[in-house]
PDB file of all heavy atoms in Angstrom:
ATOM      1  N   LEU M 230       0.616   2.172  -0.840  1.00  0.00           N
ATOM      2  CA  LEU M 230       1.338   3.442  -0.887  1.00  0.00           C
ATOM      3  C   LEU M 230       0.422   4.525  -0.351  1.00  0.00           C
ATOM      4  O   LEU M 230      -0.711   4.656  -0.796  1.00  0.00           O
ATOM      5  CB  LEU M 230       1.762   3.755  -2.324  1.00  0.00           C
ATOM      6  CG  LEU M 230       2.315   5.147  -2.590  1.00  0.00           C
ATOM      7  CD1 LEU M 230       3.585   5.382  -1.775  1.00  0.00           C
ATOM      8  CD2 LEU M 230       2.570   5.345  -4.060  1.00  0.00           C
ATOM      9  N   ILE M 231       0.921   5.295   0.615  1.00  0.00           N
ATOM     10  CA  ILE M 231       0.165   6.408   1.197  1.00  0.00           C
ATOM     11  C   ILE M 231       0.993   7.662   0.985  1.00  0.00           C
ATOM     12  O   ILE M 231       2.156   7.715   1.401  1.00  0.00           O
ATOM     13  CB  ILE M 231      -0.106   6.196   2.695  1.00  0.00           C
ATOM     14  CG1 ILE M 231      -0.931   4.926   2.904  1.00  0.00           C
ATOM     15  CG2 ILE M 231      -0.808   7.411   3.298  1.00  0.00           C
ATOM     16  CD1 ILE M 231      -1.090   4.528   4.351  1.00  0.00           C
ATOM     17  N   THR M 232       0.432   8.681   0.347  1.00  0.00           N
ATOM     18  CA  THR M 232       1.192   9.910   0.091  1.00  0.00           C
ATOM     19  C   THR M 232       0.481  11.157   0.592  1.00  0.00           C
ATOM     20  O   THR M 232       0.988  12.249   0.416  1.00  0.00           O
ATOM     21  CB  THR M 232       1.449  10.077  -1.421  1.00  0.00           C
ATOM     22  OG1 THR M 232       0.196  10.151  -2.099  1.00  0.00           O
ATOM     23  CG2 THR M 232       2.288   8.950  -1.972  1.00  0.00           C
ATOM     24  N   ASP M 233      -0.671  11.030   1.221  1.00  0.00           N
ATOM     25  CA  ASP M 233      -1.446  12.219   1.567  1.00  0.00           C
ATOM     26  C   ASP M 233      -1.147  12.784   2.954  1.00  0.00           C
ATOM     27  O   ASP M 233      -1.777  13.738   3.371  1.00  0.00           O
ATOM     28  CB  ASP M 233      -2.951  11.934   1.431  1.00  0.00           C
ATOM     29  CG  ASP M 233      -3.418  10.808   2.340  1.00  0.00           C
ATOM     30  OD1 ASP M 233      -2.581  10.064   2.859  1.00  0.00           O
ATOM     31  OD2 ASP M 233      -4.644  10.676   2.518  1.00  0.00           O
ATOM     32  N   LEU M 234      -0.191  12.228   3.670  1.00  0.00           N
ATOM     33  CA  LEU M 234       0.156  12.717   4.998  1.00  0.00           C
ATOM     34  C   LEU M 234       1.608  13.158   5.013  1.00  0.00           C
ATOM     35  O   LEU M 234       2.497  12.384   4.690  1.00  0.00           O
ATOM     36  CB  LEU M 234      -0.047  11.617   6.047  1.00  0.00           C
ATOM     37  CG  LEU M 234      -1.468  11.084   6.174  1.00  0.00           C
ATOM     38  CD1 LEU M 234      -1.494   9.862   7.074  1.00  0.00           C
ATOM     39  CD2 LEU M 234      -2.377  12.161   6.726  1.00  0.00           C
ATOM     40  N   ALA M 235       1.839  14.406   5.375  1.00  0.00           N
ATOM     41  CA  ALA M 235       3.205  14.926   5.424  1.00  0.00           C
ATOM     42  C   ALA M 235       3.935  14.382   6.641  1.00  0.00           C
ATOM     43  O   ALA M 235       3.338  14.135   7.685  1.00  0.00           O
ATOM     44  CB  ALA M 235       3.185  16.448   5.471  1.00  0.00           C
ATOM     45  N   GLY M 236       5.225  14.182   6.507  1.00  0.00           N
ATOM     46  CA  GLY M 236       6.072  13.785   7.622  1.00  0.00           C
ATOM     47  C   GLY M 236       6.818  15.005   8.137  1.00  0.00           C
ATOM     48  O   GLY M 236       6.564  16.134   7.699  1.00  0.00           O
ATOM     49  N   PRO M 237       7.768  14.814   9.048  1.00  0.00           N
ATOM     50  CA  PRO M 237       8.480  15.941   9.633  1.00  0.00           C
ATOM     51  C   PRO M 237       9.346  16.697   8.630  1.00  0.00           C
ATOM     52  O   PRO M 237       9.670  17.862   8.845  1.00  0.00           O
ATOM     53  CB  PRO M 237       9.348  15.299  10.727  1.00  0.00           C
ATOM     54  CG  PRO M 237       9.421  13.854  10.379  1.00  0.00           C
ATOM     55  CD  PRO M 237       8.176  13.547   9.608  1.00  0.00           C
ATOM     56  N   GLN M 238       9.717  16.075   7.513  1.00  0.00           N
ATOM     57  CA  GLN M 238      10.549  16.721   6.503  1.00  0.00           C
ATOM     58  C   GLN M 238       9.735  17.256   5.326  1.00  0.00           C
ATOM     59  O   GLN M 238      10.301  17.748   4.368  1.00  0.00           O
ATOM     60  CB  GLN M 238      11.600  15.728   5.988  1.00  0.00           C
ATOM     61  CG  GLN M 238      12.452  15.099   7.046  1.00  0.00           C
ATOM     62  CD  GLN M 238      13.252  16.120   7.830  1.00  0.00           C
ATOM     63  OE1 GLN M 238      13.724  17.098   7.285  1.00  0.00           O
ATOM     64  NE2 GLN M 238      13.383  15.885   9.115  1.00  0.00           N
ATOM     65  N   GLY M 239       8.415  17.143   5.379  1.00  0.00           N
ATOM     66  CA  GLY M 239       7.564  17.562   4.261  1.00  0.00           C
ATOM     67  C   GLY M 239       6.867  16.366   3.657  1.00  0.00           C
ATOM     68  O   GLY M 239       6.478  15.445   4.369  1.00  0.00           O
ATOM     69  N   ALA M 240       6.742  16.367   2.334  1.00  0.00           N
ATOM     70  CA  ALA M 240       6.041  15.282   1.649  1.00  0.00           C
ATOM     71  C   ALA M 240       6.732  13.949   1.949  1.00  0.00           C
ATOM     72  O   ALA M 240       7.949  13.840   1.899  1.00  0.00           O
ATOM     73  CB  ALA M 240       6.018  15.538   0.149  1.00  0.00           C
ATOM     74  N   THR M 241       5.925  12.957   2.278  1.00  0.00           N
ATOM     75  CA  THR M 241       6.423  11.635   2.638  1.00  0.00           C
ATOM     76  C   THR M 241       5.665  10.574   1.854  1.00  0.00           C
ATOM     77  O   THR M 241       4.444  10.640   1.740  1.00  0.00           O
ATOM     78  CB  THR M 241       6.245  11.383   4.152  1.00  0.00           C
ATOM     79  OG1 THR M 241       6.984  12.360   4.874  1.00  0.00           O
ATOM     80  CG2 THR M 241       6.725   9.998   4.542  1.00  0.00           C
ATOM     81  N   ALA M 242       6.392   9.619   1.301  1.00  0.00           N
ATOM     82  CA  ALA M 242       5.775   8.458   0.646  1.00  0.00           C
ATOM     83  C   ALA M 242       5.917   7.284   1.599  1.00  0.00           C
ATOM     84  O   ALA M 242       7.026   6.943   2.005  1.00  0.00           O
ATOM     85  CB  ALA M 242       6.456   8.158  -0.687  1.00  0.00           C
ATOM     86  N   ARG M 243       4.795   6.710   1.980  1.00  0.00           N
ATOM     87  CA  ARG M 243       4.799   5.581   2.906  1.00  0.00           C
ATOM     88  C   ARG M 243       4.427   4.311   2.154  1.00  0.00           C
ATOM     89  O   ARG M 243       3.406   4.268   1.479  1.00  0.00           O
ATOM     90  CB  ARG M 243       3.796   5.830   4.029  1.00  0.00           C
ATOM     91  CG  ARG M 243       4.183   6.947   4.948  1.00  0.00           C
ATOM     92  CD  ARG M 243       3.044   7.267   5.926  1.00  0.00           C
ATOM     93  NE  ARG M 243       3.457   8.207   6.934  1.00  0.00           N
ATOM     94  CZ  ARG M 243       3.516   9.520   6.776  1.00  0.00           C
ATOM     95  NH1 ARG M 243       3.180  10.030   5.610  1.00  0.00           N
ATOM     96  NH2 ARG M 243       3.914  10.307   7.749  1.00  0.00           N
ATOM     97  N   PHE M 244       5.258   3.286   2.298  1.00  0.00           N
ATOM     98  CA  PHE M 244       5.020   1.997   1.667  1.00  0.00           C
ATOM     99  C   PHE M 244       4.827   0.974   2.771  1.00  0.00           C
ATOM    100  O   PHE M 244       5.709   0.791   3.616  1.00  0.00           O
ATOM    101  CB  PHE M 244       6.205   1.601   0.770  1.00  0.00           C
ATOM    102  CG  PHE M 244       6.349   2.474  -0.439  1.00  0.00           C
ATOM    103  CD1 PHE M 244       7.012   3.685  -0.362  1.00  0.00           C
ATOM    104  CD2 PHE M 244       5.809   2.088  -1.658  1.00  0.00           C
ATOM    105  CE1 PHE M 244       7.152   4.498  -1.483  1.00  0.00           C
ATOM    106  CE2 PHE M 244       5.935   2.893  -2.773  1.00  0.00           C
ATOM    107  CZ  PHE M 244       6.605   4.102  -2.697  1.00  0.00           C
ATOM    108  N   ARG M 245       3.667   0.301   2.762  1.00  0.00           N
ATOM    109  CA  ARG M 245       3.316  -0.636   3.823  1.00  0.00           C
ATOM    110  C   ARG M 245       3.228  -2.043   3.243  1.00  0.00           C
ATOM    111  O   ARG M 245       2.587  -2.259   2.217  1.00  0.00           O
ATOM    112  CB  ARG M 245       1.985  -0.220   4.437  1.00  0.00           C
ATOM    113  CG  ARG M 245       2.036   1.208   4.985  1.00  0.00           C
ATOM    114  CD  ARG M 245       0.688   1.690   5.479  1.00  0.00           C
ATOM    115  NE  ARG M 245       0.356   0.944   6.680  1.00  0.00           N
ATOM    116  CZ  ARG M 245      -0.885   0.589   7.016  1.00  0.00           C
ATOM    117  NH1 ARG M 245      -1.907   0.899   6.257  1.00  0.00           N
ATOM    118  NH2 ARG M 245      -1.089  -0.083   8.118  1.00  0.00           N
ATOM    119  N   PHE M 246       3.877  -3.000   3.929  1.00  0.00           N
ATOM    120  CA  PHE M 246       3.929  -4.379   3.461  1.00  0.00           C
ATOM    121  C   PHE M 246       3.474  -5.325   4.559  1.00  0.00           C
ATOM    122  O   PHE M 246       3.840  -5.148   5.732  1.00  0.00           O
ATOM    123  CB  PHE M 246       5.363  -4.761   3.058  1.00  0.00           C
ATOM    124  CG  PHE M 246       5.893  -3.935   1.921  1.00  0.00           C
ATOM    125  CD1 PHE M 246       6.549  -2.746   2.162  1.00  0.00           C
ATOM    126  CD2 PHE M 246       5.711  -4.349   0.613  1.00  0.00           C
ATOM    127  CE1 PHE M 246       7.034  -1.970   1.118  1.00  0.00           C
ATOM    128  CE2 PHE M 246       6.190  -3.586  -0.441  1.00  0.00           C
ATOM    129  CZ  PHE M 246       6.845  -2.393  -0.187  1.00  0.00           C
ATOM    130  N   VAL M 247       2.703  -6.339   4.181  1.00  0.00           N
ATOM    131  CA  VAL M 247       2.310  -7.402   5.103  1.00  0.00           C
ATOM    132  C   VAL M 247       3.336  -8.526   4.953  1.00  0.00           C
ATOM    133  O   VAL M 247       3.597  -9.000   3.846  1.00  0.00           O
ATOM    134  CB  VAL M 247       0.889  -7.910   4.799  1.00  0.00           C
ATOM    135  CG1 VAL M 247       0.561  -9.130   5.656  1.00  0.00           C
ATOM    136  CG2 VAL M 247      -0.124  -6.799   5.031  1.00  0.00           C
ATOM    137  N   VAL M 248       3.923  -8.929   6.091  1.00  0.00           N
ATOM    138  CA  VAL M 248       4.923  -9.998   6.133  1.00  0.00           C
ATOM    139  C   VAL M 248       4.411 -11.051   7.120  1.00  0.00           C
ATOM    140  O   VAL M 248       4.679 -10.963   8.320  1.00  0.00           O
ATOM    141  CB  VAL M 248       6.309  -9.462   6.568  1.00  0.00           C
ATOM    142  CG1 VAL M 248       7.337 -10.568   6.552  1.00  0.00           C
ATOM    143  CG2 VAL M 248       6.734  -8.287   5.697  1.00  0.00           C
TER     144      VAL M 248
END
Side-chain angles (χ1 to χ4, degrees):
L230 170 62
I231 299 172
T232 60
D233 60 345
L234 299 171
Q238 305 299 323
T241 299
R243 292 172 172 81
F244 292 83
R245 302 174 69 214
F246 298 89
V247 173
V248 182

